[in-house]
Amino acid sequence: MREGPDIARIASLVGDPARANMLTALMGGTALTASELALEAGVSLPTASSHLSKLMEGGLLTLASQGRHRYYGLAGPQVAGMIEAITGVAAAVGPQRVRPGPRDAAMRVARVCYDHLAGEQAVAMLDRLVARQVLLRHDKEIRLGPSAASHFAAIGIDVESKARRPVCRACLDWSVRRSHLAGTLGAAILDKIIAEKWARREKDSRAVIFSPMGKQAFEKVFLG
Amino acid sequence: MREGPDIARIASLVGDPARANMLTALMGGTALTASELALEAGVSLPTASSHLSKLMEGGLLTLASQGRHRYYGLAGPQVAGMIEAITGVAAAVGPQRVRPGPRDAAMRVARVCYDHLAGEQAVAMLDRLVARQVLLRHDKEIRLGPSAASHFAAIGIDVESKARRPVCRACLDWSVRRSHLAGTLGAAILDKIIAEKWARREKDSRAVIFSPMGKQAFEKVFLG
DNA sequence: ACAATGCTTCGATGAAGGACGAACTATGCG
DNA sequence: CGCATAGTTCGTCCTTCATCGAAGCATTGT
């Protein structure tokens, strides 16, 4: 008999289809209300509420009450990373179900992973940054290279670590099966992409659609 | 309603306590038989068998039949990474700790973590080995230092990697919340400790009790 | 004050699945 | 062959928990 962290408790929270759908929906990074999550999960409002209280009790969600609205969000990057990891395994062992629909195609190209960019574009970006030694990669650990500060400052991103959260982190991409960039830098880059209107977020989806001009700009800055 | 990788299916596989214990046991990297896993999980053999077939069907395990023994192992690093991610979240959100009884006190000092030593002693040992640069640590990765071979040879441990399994691995200690040494080297050290009778294993427990002399010897060799 | 909206709690129902003993299959050993 | 060990399958019991309708709070709007 083993002891230690109660991994079964956490996993079983994710192990219910309704809750899994809610968590996946929250991977978009924005907090959602109970009704929205009920819709996402395909269950009634009471059922959703029950699930949400369980997820809260399990520490996987945060709650922000604003008037009569209650916004639920993922508890943090660690939780988001766990969901990604599970998604990766699910995608790897369940190839019988994945048929690349039109929306899925867009998802593979670029999507939001909690607070940073994922998908082919994101993987290509990390590869290029490492190749140019802007970032130094050592297995799963990613550090800033000597030229990183000036490189990112040139496009208006301050790489100084403000929070305890690591600046760079490798996050395994479930569609490409290789890592992309997470951490505060990954989040800042996504902010930049949206702020510059290089891309827009697909409504009710995690997909990120680049405009033709935006794609050029992105490639010039990060893949050039 | 969402689609995509069936994350609930995978998570619910891990979400059963018996299966979670089995998977945790397999995190050591070596394959185990059904009986051993039944013991780990604290369930009967038929129950374990049922769980194992579910884990197999879910693609989380590999099976190697050798005669009448059937060795189950984790399906790959991706699965191991997922377990690690879940464990991390569980440790972070689960400070609702059981109170430290007398046996737990011994467990915190030194215990077996599948095939290597864990607990305060193990954490101190790894710290010291890294400080003396016998081992070189880079975040989660641990490698042998230049003096490692001779250092361990002096106490009768061959650090040559015989199996595919890594020689060194960092394993997060759930009681101390810092890493200790796993991998073949960690296993060899535990073997040594038992073989030299520096310590004995508590019956039906993971606790490892050092004798006064054994503790001295251990500290001289590994903490000196 | 009253109604409307957003959400939670309660109670009843039903289905899923985890548990084990007993019986069965397969391999190894003399 | 007969016996022992390792595992799986089967049948049954029983707990757990997801689900929804109805009712209860809370906040906002009129």
Side-chain angles (χ1 to χ4, degrees):
Chain A
M1 278 278 252
R2 305 226 145 221
E3 295 189 18
D6 196 348
I7 129 174
R9 187 173 121 81
I10 300 301
S12 70
L13 281 175
V14 189
D16 175 83
R19 286 193 292 262
N21 283 329
M22 291 175 172
L23 291 167
T24 306
L26 290 172
M27 283 294 282
T30 45
L32 298 173
T33 66
S35 337
E36 290 170 322
L37 288 167
L39 203 65
E40 281 291 343
V43 293
S44 73
L45 226 162
T47 304
S49 182
S50 158
H51 285 308
L52 288 169
S53 64
K54 276 169 188 154
L55 288 170
M56 282 297 294
E57 199 181 356
L60 299 189
L61 297 186
T62 54
L63 173 58
S65 284
Q66 279 178 26
R68 58 182 167 184
H69 294 273
R70 312 193 74 183
Y71 289 94
Y72 291 91
L74 291 187
Q78 197 179 19
V79 175
M82 176 186 75
I83 304 289
E84 267 288 303
I86 299 173
T87 308
V89 171
V93 304
Q96 61 270 28
R97 202 142 295 183
V98 183
R99 55 174 174 182
R103 180 182 303 165
D104 289 343
M107 288 271 280
R108 267 199 309 283
V109 173
R111 67 179 179 279
V112 172
C113 175
Y114 181 51
D115 64 356
H116 55 271
L117 197 68
E120 290 162 7
Q121 291 269 35
V123 171
M125 178 181 79
L126 177 57
D127 282 350
R128 194 69 191 106
L129 289 172
V130 169
R132 286 157 73 190
Q133 304 199 19
V134 175
L135 300 180
L136 305 176
R137 178 154 189 198
H138 194 278
D139 203 42
K140 275 196 178 176
E141 190 191 337
I142 299 176
R143 279 170 304 151
L144 298 172
S147 64
S150 64
H151 183 273
F152 286 109
I155 55 172
I157 291 178
D158 181 13
V159 295
E160 287 299 308
S161 169
K162 299 140 202 159
R164 263 170 296 171
R165 189 178 165 203
V167 179
C168 302
R169 251 190 97 259
C171 183
L172 191 62
D173 200 296
W174 63 259
S175 54
V176 187
R177 292 237 212 153
R178 293 182 45 218
S179 293
H180 58 251
L181 184 64
T184 53
L185 181 55
I189 290 176
L190 176 60
D191 285 347
K192 176 80 178 172
I193 289 166
I194 301 296
E196 295 282 347
K197 294 202 184 348
W198 291 348
R200 61 181 168 78
R201 293 204 43 182
E202 185 76 349
K203 182 71 178 169
D204 292 331
S205 160
R206 291 167 61 195
V208 171
I209 318 282
F210 277 79
S211 69
M213 283 190 317
K215 189 154 191 275
Q216 277 195 334
F218 174 84
E219 287 175 350
K220 185 177 173 207
V221 172
F222 291 112
L223 305 179
Chain B
M1 279 279 252
R2 306 222 147 223
E3 295 194 16
D6 196 348
I7 128 174
R9 190 172 119 81
I10 300 301
S12 71
L13 281 174
V14 189
D16 176 82
R19 287 193 293 261
N21 282 330
M22 292 174 171
L23 290 168
T24 306
L26 291 171
M27 282 295 282
T30 36
L32 298 173
T33 65
S35 337
E36 290 170 323
L37 288 167
L39 202 65
E40 280 293 341
V43 294
S44 72
L45 223 162
T47 304
S49 183
S50 157
H51 285 307
L52 288 169
S53 63
K54 276 170 189 153
L55 287 170
M56 283 295 296
E57 200 182 354
L60 299 188
L61 298 184
T62 53
L63 173 57
S65 284
Q66 280 178 27
R68 59 179 167 183
H69 294 275
R70 314 192 72 183
Y71 289 95
Y72 291 92
L74 291 186
Q78 199 179 18
V79 174
M82 175 185 75
I83 305 289
E84 211 172 294
I86 298 174
T87 309
V89 171
V93 304
Q96 57 249 24
R97 189 132 291 166
V98 278
R99 94 199 76 236
R103 178 184 304 164
D104 289 344
M107 288 270 280
R108 267 200 310 282
V109 173
R111 67 179 179 278
V112 171
C113 176
Y114 176 51
D115 64 354
H116 56 270
L117 197 67
E120 291 162 8
Q121 291 268 36
V123 171
M125 179 181 78
L126 177 56
D127 281 350
R128 194 72 190 103
L129 288 172
V130 170
R132 285 158 73 193
Q133 304 198 17
V134 175
L135 300 180
L136 305 176
R137 177 154 189 198
H138 196 279
D139 201 44
K140 277 194 177 175
E141 189 190 339
I142 299 176
R143 278 169 305 151
L144 297 172
S147 64
S150 64
H151 183 272
F152 285 109
I155 56 173
I157 291 178
D158 180 13
V159 296
E160 288 300 309
S161 170
K162 300 141 201 159
R164 261 173 296 171
R165 187 177 166 205
V167 178
C168 303
R169 246 189 104 260
C171 182
L172 191 63
D173 200 296
W174 61 258
S175 55
V176 187
R177 296 241 202 148
R178 294 183 42 217
S179 292
H180 57 251
L181 185 64
T184 53
L185 180 55
I189 290 176
L190 176 61
D191 286 348
K192 176 79 177 171
I193 289 166
I194 301 295
E196 295 283 346
K197 293 202 186 350
W198 291 348
R200 60 182 168 78
R201 290 201 49 175
E202 186 78 348
K203 183 70 177 169
D204 291 333
S205 160
R206 293 167 60 197
V208 171
I209 317 283
F210 277 79
S211 70
M213 282 190 317
K215 188 155 191 271
Q216 277 195 334
F218 174 83
E219 288 175 351
K220 186 177 170 204
V221 173
F222 291 112
L223 304 179

